[in-house]
Amino acid sequence: MEKMDHRTDYCGNITAKYEGQEVTLFGWVQRVRNLGNLIFIDLRDREGLVQVVVNKDSGEELMKIAESLGNEYVIEVKGKVVRRSSVNPEMKTGEVEVNVSEMIILNEAKNPPFEIKNDVEISEQTRLKYRYLDLRRPTLQNAIILRSKILRAVHEYFDEHGFIDIETPILGKSSPEGARDYLVPSRIYPGSFYALPQSPQLFKQLLMGAGFDKYYQLARCFRDEDLRGDRQPEFTQIDMETSFLDEQGVQDYTEGLLKKVMKDVMNIDLPTPIKRISWQEAMDKYGSDKPDTRYEMYIHDLNHIFKDSDFKVFSGAIANGGYVRGIAVKGGAEAYSRKKIEEKQEYIKRFHAKGLAWVKYENGEFTGPVSRFLTKENQAALKEEFALEGGELLVFVADIWKVVCDSLNYLRRAFAKETGIIPKDVYDFVWIVDWPLFEYDEGLGRWIAAHHPFTMPDDEGIKLLDTDPHKAHARSYDIVMNGDELGGGSIRIHKRSIQEKMLKALGFTKKRAYEQFGYLMDALDMGFPPHAGLAIGLDRFAMLLAQKDNIRDVLAFPKNASASEPMMHAPAPVADQQLADLGIEVEEQYAESVAQTEQRLEKEAQEDADKNATWED
Amino acid sequence: MEKMDHRTDYCGNITAKYEGQEVTLFGWVQRVRNLGNLIFIDLRDREGLVQVVVNKDSGEELMKIAESLGNEYVIEVKGKVVRRSSVNPEMKTGEVEVNVSEMIILNEAKNPPFEIKNDVEISEQTRLKYRYLDLRRPTLQNAIILRSKILRAVHEYFDEHGFIDIETPILGKSSPEGARDYLVPSRIYPGSFYALPQSPQLFKQLLMGAGFDKYYQLARCFRDEDLRGDRQPEFTQIDMETSFLDEQGVQDYTEGLLKKVMKDVMNIDLPTPIKRISWQEAMDKYGSDKPDTRYEMYIHDLNHIFKDSDFKVFSGAIANGGYVRGIAVKGGAEAYSRKKIEEKQEYIKRFHAKGLAWVKYENGEFTGPVSRFLTKENQAALKEEFALEGGELLVFVADIWKVVCDSLNYLRRAFAKETGIIPKDVYDFVWIVDWPLFEYDEGLGRWIAAHHPFTMPDDEGIKLLDTDPHKAHARSYDIVMNGDELGGGSIRIHKRSIQEKMLKALGFTKKRAYEQFGYLMDALDMGFPPHAGLAIGLDRFAMLLAQKDNIRDVLAFPKNASASEPMMHAPAPVADQQLADLGIEVEEQYAESVAQTEQRLEKEAQEDADKNATWED
């Protein structure tokens, strides 16, 4: 690497290898300790801290400058690197310090609204308003840098494997299916709108139709959904598509990519091939299509034990076509009081569970409310089923399949977390394969595509499209890590006739199908290759590797939980002329609140100006 | 590279090195020649063509399949690579052919609306409507692949030099300054809008404030401007920002980047350092702040020759503070008739030139309309000034500075192109430095920032901000190649007081300054480092390297000249519910045209469905 500036190295890199050398450093004042004839300064940059020392012997002027320093001042120092008398083993640079011979204040700093250190109790609103300060905290800097390393590994990997990086449009077409689109009014065609893409799905398929063979992109995607902790209005996906490959081919490339990311970013050797389990097995064993496979605590089906039980909650559920399933929590007998278990029972009501049955197994005996219903045979069967050793808490849910799965998935994760059985620093990947092609959406009251409408059914599924489409299985696959969905993909439909049947099964009329996807169906008729792909959610992946709880911590400038950004104030009212140019109006009912927002922002600006501005109008 | 599929290699790579081997290929049928007992097929993929041969001896079934092939069918073939009897030196694979033993039709193809070859006369609208076919043409594929190679080199370069790849938001804040923003209505705050970024300028500056030290991004940017040939509503810039570097430092990194791109993508060794000329010199010598330096044909100032001329057009312009400047076109005396010259005179009226004076110098004599005004002294001075050898056409423009520059810039480029003096395959880079800080915008009738309002004035300029701001010079720099601006950058303002003076000089009131940029000015007070950066327009750069005339040719899915996309039909009317969710309405006056568009799209969809769909509703 050429040297392009007169900085010797980053502060955080000034180790003993520089001993005896004159160095030039730039950085931020983290802390000043003034001992009268000696001033110690911790100087910080993105690579870390180094101690620099100003000595009374260096002259009065230098001491004066050093005395004037405040936290977060930006300075340049020149000086000699010397061994410290007392080594600080906590710091990478702790063996040395810099004896300053020259110091320039490049910029002063007002007292920041919060201290720049990792652990600091500040509201998210304040963090986002002063994001440039928040991002100075090493923990956030490291998260952003880690994300950058993932990007780097992704680019390298795909380039090495002959993928072409192709940008697809941000100004696209609205599609009423799926999540809500962000719209962009057109000025040239007033009353028409672009939409920001929810994914480049059809563009990347068309690129296969165009013969690019292997495509990838770090694709910006947008969804106007109500936000949750791990959602943002805009997100980035590692997007790939290939021609002439089957599931195995796409999964092989994906595994190669993950292996490289884990190695380059985390220095972890990811063993491959990654295990595969069917969607059905995942649901049965973990209650989830994104199972956390770092620990066992499997869900057991207990229908064979309880189908004739006197406990009508159990036998009744089974008789109605439902299930009794349960998990055994090791050490749970002691760890969980009745009260704590009842809290869990309360919680799973959101999954429509009617109750949570439980027993404890201690000293060879079953206790707890349901124990009196357990026959000798039931007891023996449970002991065998769960290989009980003593000290277990057993919880059971008896209900229809979905309620059982959802409830036990929650309980399994909660008990695992609380009993501390989740291994640290383990990254456990699993492929979930053999998905249903459709799923019934209770909210919408209709069948929707489990993956998306362009997913190829399996051979049996293609036949079922004509007769019983909703039983079809899909050639799709998800990649899951530690109980989080990292991404997913599928073999795509490359024949018009199958695509049409798929849309029909989704309830499209012919006209609507052609309005939305006519160009795709035309394209499929003009020499479209078999193709398949996958997309990985970069933000979540980065969050998990950075061991953060919130996606906002791996984004430089995220939106808050109500999709706004309190530093620049986005979104905000705009000038009337801007709307007039676009031929749109804000509905009358919102006029007052818009005016209020405008006034508030103006008032804040005026106050800020009055307080801080150095100029008079 | 691991092998993840059962393709042996791309068609275009099947050279003699595969002789004697059994290969498996996928591709598109480019052409079929049926000789009765022998069928030759040109098979195409992204890497090129290979000839595959089906022989009657291979069996009737295989012949039948081969006979059924049409252009653009997608097929898989297995066969043995053998030497051709007649080598085709035009093809990379021309020494061999593949004797097919197995052939599978993976997808059929209707007759495409145009042939897939480089030179084909088709309307742009048709090209964009069937973009997936258009992109199959090798010339476009190569342009997209070249663009991808630039991206690759950029990522590699910045990573090697410690830059961090950081994504900034697409959903940002509208700023009434500069070009028109694309707006995105907020659903959560009806009546408020996000704006798509015209550049990540302030975000990247804030990243320097956050201490990331070196940032880069392939940044998607948006401008709702009236389109020209080389403009698109969305574009990508190679965006960088650094802390603690001066002009030289940023320019060094830029030169390193350009060197790598030219080497990796074009296999050209770019000599560095790249020459630097001042903005003033560029304007005087080339009439342009983005001079084409591949050839000379400099503009000469002729005031010293003509200040006392009897030709009042000349002496009068000079007396009024204007200029007489001209260029000499070698061989122009013969090449340009009076009519042709008058066409040019007509053209430069758009630059407000009142006329075009000209003489020819042949056989030691000046001829042409202005020659009678040339004194002996004038003639001698012109001969010396332009080192005339005979055969030149001299053209003069006499006017105010701007008109002279604009007109002669146009004339210089036109004459250079027409007389064929522009060297082929030369990429000539130049830095334009020492820019004015402000420029007067005739259209707006006010001073605007020549670069942008965050550009640092030079030391003298900082003083001038208090007294005579519009005379200040900027610490900004543009990088120009072959007469096109590739990019530009500047040292940024890192002090509140200077930023305030700058905004004041731009006509901001204090309140408006703080409404728009209060957060920035706050940030500058909290330990902001000196910083500088640059951005390069990727699309134009790729277009120039790919030797294309239009930016659309280096974008996979561009918009047409009216910012619409005729394949998916974007922009388009949206569902009423979508607008209701956002609290906006389309102005009444556009209702009819929106309804018409909707009806047209529905009708087209219905016709398409009726014609092509294989299913009945």
Side-chain angles (χ1 to χ4, degrees):
Chain A
M1 176 177 155
E2 308 103 66
K3 272 229 58 61
M4 308 229 181
D5 53 56
H6 61 292
R7 167 165 55 197
T8 309
D9 202 336
Y10 287 106
C11 297
N13 295 341
I14 303 299
T15 57
K17 74 172 174 180
Y18 284 106
E19 192 187 340
Q21 289 185 37
E22 288 288 336
V23 296
T24 300
L25 304 175
F26 298 107
W28 283 258
V29 173
Q30 175 77 22
R31 198 164 66 121
V32 183
R33 276 173 304 146
N34 190 338
L35 307 187
N37 57 344
L38 216 56
I39 299 180
F40 291 99
I41 301 153
D42 285 345
L43 194 63
R44 189 193 73 234
D45 64 20
R46 83 175 196 207
E47 301 297 328
L49 292 168
V50 68
Q51 178 165 292
V52 308
V53 189
V54 178
N55 194 316
K56 209 160 196 169
D57 304 340
S58 322
E60 205 147 318
E61 205 183 333
L62 197 56
M63 278 300 277
K64 242 187 202 159
I65 295 173
E67 278 164 4
S68 76
L69 295 177
N71 284 353
E72 299 306 311
Y73 272 45
V74 186
I75 61 174
E76 174 177 354
V77 298
K78 289 189 211 303
K80 193 171 181 178
V81 178
V82 297
R83 290 240 162 220
R84 277 203 211 184
S85 45
S86 61
V87 167
N88 181 346
E90 304 283 295
M91 284 169 76
K92 190 178 147 200
T93 63
E95 289 183 279
V96 296
E97 61 191 15
V98 180
N99 267 339
V100 177
S101 55
E102 212 183 313
M103 176 180 292
I104 302 167
I105 295 177
L106 297 171
N107 216 346
E108 299 178 1
K110 283 188 185 166
N111 212 13
F114 52 85
E115 201 183 336
I116 308 304
K117 60 176 190 178
N118 281 342
D119 300 311
V120 48
E121 289 290 324
I122 30 170
S123 74
E124 171 151 87
Q125 198 71 357
T126 304
R127 283 180 55 189
L128 294 181
K129 185 168 159 66
Y130 299 96
R131 187 63 169 176
Y132 46 90
L133 297 180
D134 194 26
L135 285 170
R136 282 186 201 162
R137 300 191 297 130
T139 178
L140 273 201
Q141 277 211 346
N142 292 339
I144 300 288
I145 290 171
L146 178 143
R147 183 192 175 93
S148 166
K149 285 184 185 161
I150 298 177
L151 293 174
R152 173 70 179 142
V154 170
H155 287 300
E156 255 181 37
Y157 180 79
F158 282 121
D159 181 70
E160 279 164 16
H161 290 83
F163 285 72
I164 303 171
D165 185 351
I166 305 179
E167 292 165 297
T168 54
I170 299 290
L171 294 172
K173 169 75 185 299
S174 181
S175 162
E177 283 68 48
R180 226 181 263 110
D181 285 320
Y182 280 105
L183 298 181
V184 181
S186 160
R187 180 175 54 86
I188 299 179
Y189 303 97
S192 283
F193 294 80
Y194 305 97
L196 305 184
Q198 299 190 17
S199 103
Q201 183 60 36
L202 290 175
F203 286 117
K204 68 175 175 170
Q205 291 190 221
L206 291 169
L207 288 173
M208 296 303 100
F212 284 103
D213 197 72
K214 290 192 175 70
Y215 142 96
Y216 88 100
Q217 184 184 196
L218 273 302
R220 302 291 281 266
C221 307
F222 305 84
R223 275 179 209 171
D224 186 8
E225 289 178 303
D226 298 316
L227 303 183
R228 295 197 311 245
D230 58 349
R231 287 266 177 85
Q232 280 280 311
E234 51 184 301
F235 56 98
T236 300
Q237 68 188 30
I238 304 169
D239 199 48
M240 63 178 274
E241 195 76 10
T242 62
S243 296
F244 307 116
L245 287 188
D246 61 8
E247 292 87 339
Q248 185 69 45
V250 175
Q251 289 166 12
D252 284 349
Y253 277 120
T254 308
E255 294 187 5
L257 172 69
L258 294 173
K259 212 178 174 74
K260 178 167 172 71
V261 169
M262 293 308 288
K263 186 68 191 177
D264 289 6
V265 179
M266 307 296 287
N267 199 25
I268 286 173
D269 288 305
L270 173 65
T272 49
I274 291 170
K275 58 184 168 289
R276 282 157 175 74
I277 64 176
S278 74
W279 175 84
Q280 189 66 52
E281 183 184 349
M283 295 305 291
D284 286 343
K285 225 160 137 181
Y286 302 93
S288 169
D289 55 15
K290 41 187 180 185
D292 192 335
T293 49
R294 283 175 296 179
Y295 50 92
E296 299 194 337
M297 206 194 279
Y298 299 130
I299 296 168
H300 289 244
D301 188 281
L302 308 171
N303 278 17
H304 62 286
I305 298 178
F306 291 123
K307 65 177 187 298
D308 302 318
S309 176
D310 287 343
F311 188 42
K312 291 300 166 199
V313 170
F314 284 4
S315 51
I318 297 167
N320 286 328
Y323 299 85
V324 180
R325 291 185 179 177
I327 53 177
V329 184
K330 278 197 181 148
E334 203 184 318
Y336 287 90
S337 64
R338 175 181 294 262
K339 186 163 164 284
K340 276 190 182 169
I341 298 169
E342 280 170 357
E343 282 166 16
K344 297 241 174 329
Q345 170 165 294
E346 197 52 37
Y347 191 94
I348 63 173
K349 283 184 181 165
R350 70 189 58 189
F351 308 117
H352 311 294
K354 289 180 287 287
L356 179 62
W358 57 275
V359 295
K360 293 180 172 179
Y361 180 68
E362 284 174 303
N363 309 316
E365 288 199 1
F366 287 91
T367 59
V370 174
S371 60
R372 64 192 172 97
F373 293 108
L374 299 182
T375 62
K376 281 256 155 0
E377 291 74 24
N378 288 164
Q379 295 188 9
L382 285 176
K383 275 191 258 183
E384 196 192 323
E385 180 73 35
F386 288 102
L388 297 180
E389 292 171 342
E392 288 92 348
L393 166 70
L394 280 80
V395 296
F396 311 105
V397 179
D399 216 307
I400 58 169
W401 185 75
K402 182 155 176 24
V403 173
V404 171
C405 289
D406 289 350
S407 303
L408 285 169
N409 170 44
Y410 163 75
L411 292 168
R412 180 177 172 271
R413 290 181 194 243
F415 285 124
K417 195 169 171 196
E418 289 162 14
T419 59
I421 62 166
I422 306 176
K424 295 256 173 293
D425 298 324
V426 165
Y427 297 90
D428 204 51
F429 292 80
V430 58
W431 285 106
I432 311 299
V433 300
D434 197 16
W435 287 69
L437 187 60
F438 299 93
E439 63 187 29
Y440 193 77
D441 187 306
E442 301 281 348
L444 296 171
R446 60 176 171 86
W447 290 92
I448 61 169
H451 187 55
H452 57 51
F454 317 106
T455 301
M456 183 70 102
D458 63 11
D459 288 350
E460 180 63 24
I462 291 176
K463 290 175 209 153
L464 284 169
L465 282 182
D466 290 321
T467 55
D468 207 351
H470 302 132
K471 286 195 180 147
H473 277 237
R475 294 180 68 182
S476 63
Y477 33 81
D478 268 14
I479 182 77
V480 167
M481 184 187 84
N482 293 1
D484 268 295
E485 182 199 331
L486 286 189
S490 62
I491 309 292
R492 325 298 188 185
I493 296 169
H494 66 281
K495 301 260 192 188
R496 182 198 285 257
S497 59
I498 303 174
Q499 187 63 66
E500 287 186 335
K501 286 175 191 173
M502 184 72 193
L503 292 173
K504 192 178 179 188
L506 285 165
F508 277 76
T509 63
K510 208 164 67 172
K511 190 182 92 184
R512 196 158 67 83
Y514 273 80
E515 248 182 304
Q516 279 298 313
F517 305 117
Y519 63 92
L520 173 67
M521 289 190 283
D522 282 351
L524 296 181
D525 263 356
M526 297 209 196
F528 221 96
H531 59 295
L534 174 129
I536 289 175
L538 171 67
D539 308 289
R540 189 175 300 166
F541 194 18
M543 175 187 86
L544 293 170
L545 296 190
Q547 308 203 354
K548 295 285 180 191
D549 296 325
N550 196 306
I551 276 183
R552 295 197 268 280
D553 283 347
V554 293
L555 296 174
F557 300 101
K559 304 289 187 290
N560 68 16
S562 56
S564 75
E565 194 274 83
M567 179 180 63
M568 294 190 182
H569 301 296
V574 295
D576 293 343
Q577 186 58 49
Q578 289 177 280
L579 299 186
D581 285 348
L582 300 170
I584 59 171
E585 288 165 350
V586 175
E587 278 182 26
E588 190 52 36
Q589 56 175 312
Y590 300 111
E592 172 138 1
S593 81
V594 171
Q596 280 170 4
T597 304
E598 270 176 328
Q599 283 159 20
R600 178 173 57 78
L601 292 175
E602 278 183 31
K603 186 161 162 273
E604 283 175 20
Q606 188 66 61
E607 284 169 5
D608 188 7
D610 290 344
K611 193 171 145 203
N612 294 308
T614 59
W615 111 69
E616 295 304 320
D617 269 336
Chain B
M1 177 176 154
E2 307 103 65
K3 272 232 56 60
M4 306 230 182
D5 53 56
H6 61 293
R7 166 166 51 196
T8 308
D9 203 336
Y10 288 105
C11 297
N13 295 340
I14 303 298
T15 57
K17 74 174 174 180
Y18 284 106
E19 192 189 341
Q21 287 184 40
E22 288 288 335
V23 296
T24 300
L25 304 175
F26 298 107
W28 282 259
V29 173
Q30 175 77 23
R31 197 165 67 123
V32 182
R33 277 173 302 147
N34 191 338
L35 307 187
N37 58 342
L38 216 55
I39 299 180
F40 291 98
I41 301 154
D42 285 347
L43 194 63
R44 187 192 73 234
D45 64 19
R46 80 175 198 208
E47 300 298 328
L49 292 168
V50 68
Q51 176 164 293
V52 308
V53 189
V54 177
N55 193 315
K56 208 156 198 175
D57 304 340
S58 321
E60 202 144 320
E61 206 181 333
L62 197 56
M63 279 301 278
K64 239 186 206 159
I65 295 172
E67 279 164 3
S68 76
L69 295 177
N71 284 354
E72 299 307 309
Y73 272 46
V74 185
I75 62 174
E76 173 176 355
V77 299
K78 288 190 212 304
K80 195 173 181 175
V81 178
V82 297
R83 291 240 162 222
R84 277 205 211 182
S85 45
S86 60
V87 167
N88 179 346
E90 304 284 294
M91 285 170 76
K92 188 176 147 202
T93 63
E95 290 183 279
V96 297
E97 60 191 14
V98 180
N99 267 339
V100 177
S101 55
E102 212 182 313
M103 177 180 290
I104 302 167
I105 295 176
L106 297 171
N107 215 347
E108 299 177 1
K110 282 188 186 167
N111 212 14
F114 51 86
E115 201 185 337
I116 308 304
K117 61 176 190 181
N118 281 343
D119 299 312
V120 47
E121 288 290 323
I122 29 171
S123 74
E124 172 152 86
Q125 197 72 355
T126 304
R127 283 181 55 189
L128 294 181
K129 184 167 159 69
Y130 299 98
R131 187 63 168 172
Y132 46 91
L133 297 179
D134 195 26
L135 285 171
R136 281 185 203 163
R137 299 192 297 131
T139 179
L140 273 201
Q141 269 203 359
N142 292 340
I144 300 287
I145 291 171
L146 178 143
R147 181 192 175 94
S148 166
K149 284 184 187 161
I150 299 177
L151 292 174
R152 172 68 179 143
V154 170
H155 287 301
E156 256 183 34
Y157 180 79
F158 282 121
D159 182 70
E160 279 164 15
H161 290 83
F163 285 71
I164 303 171
D165 185 352
I166 304 179
E167 292 165 296
T168 55
I170 299 291
L171 294 171
K173 170 75 185 295
S174 182
S175 163
E177 283 70 45
R180 223 180 266 108
D181 284 321
Y182 279 105
L183 298 181
V184 181
S186 160
R187 181 176 52 85
I188 299 179
Y189 303 97
S192 283
F193 294 80
Y194 305 97
L196 306 184
Q198 299 190 19
S199 103
Q201 183 60 34
L202 289 174
F203 286 118
K204 68 176 175 170
Q205 291 190 223
L206 291 169
L207 288 173
M208 296 302 101
F212 284 103
D213 198 72
K214 291 192 175 70
Y215 142 96
Y216 88 100
Q217 185 184 195
L218 273 303
R220 302 291 281 266
C221 306
F222 305 84
R223 275 181 210 171
D224 187 8
E225 289 178 304
D226 298 315
L227 303 183
R228 293 199 309 247
D230 59 350
R231 287 266 177 86
Q232 280 280 310
E234 50 184 303
F235 56 97
T236 300
Q237 69 188 32
I238 305 169
D239 199 49
M240 64 177 275
E241 194 76 9
T242 61
S243 297
F244 307 115
L245 287 189
D246 61 9
E247 292 87 339
Q248 185 68 45
V250 175
Q251 290 166 12
D252 283 350
Y253 276 120
T254 307
E255 293 186 4
L257 172 69
L258 294 173
K259 212 177 173 73
K260 180 170 171 68
V261 169
M262 293 308 289
K263 186 69 191 172
D264 289 7
V265 179
M266 307 297 287
N267 199 27
I268 286 174
D269 288 305
L270 173 67
T272 50
I274 291 170
K275 57 184 170 286
R276 282 158 176 71
I277 63 176
S278 73
W279 175 83
Q280 188 67 52
E281 183 184 349
M283 295 304 292
D284 287 343
K285 223 161 138 181
Y286 302 94
S288 169
D289 54 16
K290 40 187 181 187
D292 192 335
T293 49
R294 284 176 296 179
Y295 51 92
E296 299 194 337
M297 207 193 281
Y298 300 130
I299 297 169
H300 288 243
D301 188 282
L302 309 172
N303 278 18
H304 62 286
I305 299 179
F306 292 121
K307 63 177 186 298
D308 302 318
S309 175
D310 287 343
F311 188 41
K312 291 301 167 202
V313 169
F314 284 3
S315 51
I318 297 168
N320 286 328
Y323 299 84
V324 180
R325 291 186 178 175
I327 53 177
V329 185
K330 279 198 180 145
E334 200 185 319
Y336 287 90
S337 63
R338 176 181 293 261
K339 184 161 167 283
K340 275 189 181 172
I341 298 169
E342 281 169 358
E343 281 166 18
K344 297 238 175 328
Q345 171 165 289
E346 197 52 36
Y347 191 94
I348 62 173
K349 285 186 180 163
R350 69 188 60 190
F351 309 118
H352 310 294
K354 288 181 287 287
L356 180 61
W358 58 275
V359 295
K360 290 181 175 180
Y361 179 67
E362 285 174 303
N363 308 319
E365 290 198 1
F366 287 91
T367 59
V370 174
S371 60
R372 65 190 171 98
F373 295 107
L374 299 181
T375 61
K376 280 255 162 342
E377 291 73 23
N378 290 164
Q379 293 187 12
L382 285 176
K383 275 193 254 181
E384 195 190 326
E385 179 73 33
F386 289 103
L388 297 180
E389 293 169 342
E392 288 91 347
L393 166 70
L394 280 78
V395 296
F396 311 105
V397 179
D399 215 307
I400 59 168
W401 185 75
K402 187 160 171 22
V403 172
V404 170
C405 290
D406 289 350
S407 303
L408 285 169
N409 170 43
Y410 163 74
L411 292 168
R412 180 176 174 273
R413 289 181 195 244
F415 284 123
K417 198 172 167 192
E418 289 162 13
T419 59
I421 62 165
I422 306 177
K424 294 257 170 291
D425 297 325
V426 165
Y427 297 91
D428 205 51
F429 293 79
V430 58
W431 285 107
I432 311 299
V433 299
D434 197 16
W435 287 68
L437 188 59
F438 298 94
E439 63 186 31
Y440 192 77
D441 187 305
E442 302 282 350
L444 295 171
R446 60 175 171 86
W447 289 93
I448 61 169
H451 187 56
H452 57 51
F454 317 107
T455 301
M456 184 71 99
D458 63 12
D459 287 352
E460 180 63 21
I462 293 177
K463 289 176 211 152
L464 284 168
L465 281 182
D466 289 322
T467 55
D468 206 352
H470 301 133
K471 288 196 180 145
H473 278 235
R475 294 179 67 183
S476 63
Y477 33 82
D478 268 13
I479 181 79
V480 167
M481 185 187 84
N482 294 1
D484 267 295
E485 181 199 332
L486 285 188
S490 62
I491 309 291
R492 326 297 188 185
I493 297 169
H494 67 281
K495 301 260 194 191
R496 181 199 285 261
S497 59
I498 302 175
Q499 187 63 67
E500 286 184 336
K501 286 175 191 172
M502 183 73 191
L503 292 172
K504 193 178 176 185
L506 284 165
F508 277 76
T509 62
K510 206 163 69 172
K511 190 180 92 185
R512 197 158 66 84
Y514 273 79
E515 247 183 304
Q516 279 298 313
F517 304 117
Y519 63 92
L520 173 66
M521 290 189 282
D522 282 351
L524 296 181
D525 264 355
M526 296 210 197
F528 222 94
H531 59 296
L534 175 128
I536 289 175
L538 172 66
D539 309 290
R540 188 173 302 166
F541 194 18
M543 176 187 84
L544 293 170
L545 296 189
Q547 307 202 354
K548 295 286 181 190
D549 295 325
N550 196 303
I551 276 184
R552 295 198 267 282
D553 283 346
V554 294
L555 295 175
F557 300 101
K559 304 289 187 291
N560 68 16
S562 58
S564 76
E565 193 275 83
M567 178 180 63
M568 295 189 181
H569 300 297
V574 297
D576 293 343
Q577 187 56 48
Q578 288 177 280
L579 299 186
D581 285 348
L582 301 170
I584 60 171
E585 287 165 353
V586 175
E587 279 181 24
E588 190 53 36
Q589 55 174 314
Y590 300 111
E592 172 135 3
S593 81
V594 171
Q596 279 169 4
T597 305
E598 268 177 328
Q599 281 159 20
R600 179 175 56 79
L601 292 175
E602 277 184 33
K603 186 161 161 272
E604 282 175 22
Q606 188 68 59
E607 284 168 4
D608 189 7
D610 290 344
K611 191 171 146 205
N612 294 308
T614 59
W615 111 69
E616 296 302 322
D617 270 336

